[in-house]
Amino acid sequence: MGVSGSGKSTVGEWLADALGVPFADADAFHPRHNIEKMSAGVPLDDADRAPWLDAMAGWLARHGEGGAVLVCSALKHRYRDRLRQASARLFFLHMEGPFELIAERVARREGHFMPPSLLRSQFEALEPLGDDERGAPVSVAGTPEETRAEALAELERAGVC
C-alpha cells in the first residue's frame, strides 16, 4: 500500500516472484470511468472506489489459500478494512517516503494515467497503518534493492512467509 510512485509495483512484482505467488496491480481493477477521471486530474471519491475495492477483494478471496501479492494504494483504513474482509491473513506493507522524493519519481514516470498533480491529494488522504492493522512500514528512501530487502524482512518477521 502507499501513494502513487512509492514503488508498490516494483517491490510487489519482485516479492510475488520471490515467494512464488500470483501478483496483481490495483490499476488493472479500475473501471474505465476511474481511469478517465484520474487522467483528467480529478481525484476519485468513495463511490468511484467501491467497485474497485470490491473487484480487488474478490481477487484476494480467490487467492487467499495459497497467498498472493496485490499492490494497491489502500490509503484509508476503511479501504483496508474492505480488503481484509476478503482475507483474514492480509498483511500490509506501507511503502512510505517523503513527498519530495516520491514527487520526483512520479514526475519521471512515463505512460501512467495518474498525473503528478494528484500526488498531494493522495498524501493528504493517506491514513498510516493503525495499531489494529497487520502490517509494517517500509521506507522507499533507499535503493530498490534495499527496499525489497526491508519488505521481505518485514514479511519474515511477521511470519507471513
Side-chain angles (χ1 to χ4, degrees), residues 4-157:
S4 183
S6 62
K8 297 182 302 288
S9 296
T10 300
V11 172
E13 285 183 84
W14 180 86
L15 281 173
D17 187 54
L19 299 172
V21 297
F23 170 80
D25 190 310
D27 290 348
F29 294 90
H30 275 298
R32 183 167 188 74
H33 167 77
N34 286 8
I35 293 172
E36 290 170 354
K37 193 170 181 179
M38 288 183 286
S39 295
V42 179
L44 300 179
D45 58 28
D46 284 352
D48 297 321
R49 287 187 184 92
W52 174 67
L53 289 164
D54 289 344
M56 288 185 297
W59 186 87
L60 286 169
R62 288 189 301 278
H63 293 90
E65 198 62 32
V69 173
L70 170 70
V71 296
C72 169
S73 56
L75 298 176
K76 295 186 183 240
H77 192 283
R78 68 179 173 269
Y79 305 159
R80 297 187 296 271
D81 283 346
R82 174 63 188 102
L83 297 175
R84 268 191 298 276
Q85 290 173 0
S87 174
R89 296 178 40 206
L90 202 56
F91 187 88
F92 290 95
L93 292 174
H94 177 187
M95 311 304 290
E96 62 179 14
F99 177 83
E100 295 74 19
L101 171 67
I102 295 175
E104 179 184 313
R105 291 178 180 179
V106 169
R108 289 193 318 249
R109 188 166 60 177
E110 294 180 12
H112 196 276
F113 60 83
M114 182 163 147
S117 61
L118 290 180
L119 185 60
R120 179 63 66 192
S121 69
Q122 285 203 327
F123 267 87
E124 290 168 358
L126 176 65
E127 296 173 0
L129 291 169
D131 292 339
D132 62 329
E133 297 183 276
R134 283 187 65 214
V138 174
S139 172
V140 300
T143 66
E145 293 77 17
E146 291 168 333
T147 303
R148 290 177 192 148
E150 183 180 341
L152 187 57
E154 289 295 348
L155 292 176
E156 289 171 347
R157 242 187 309 281

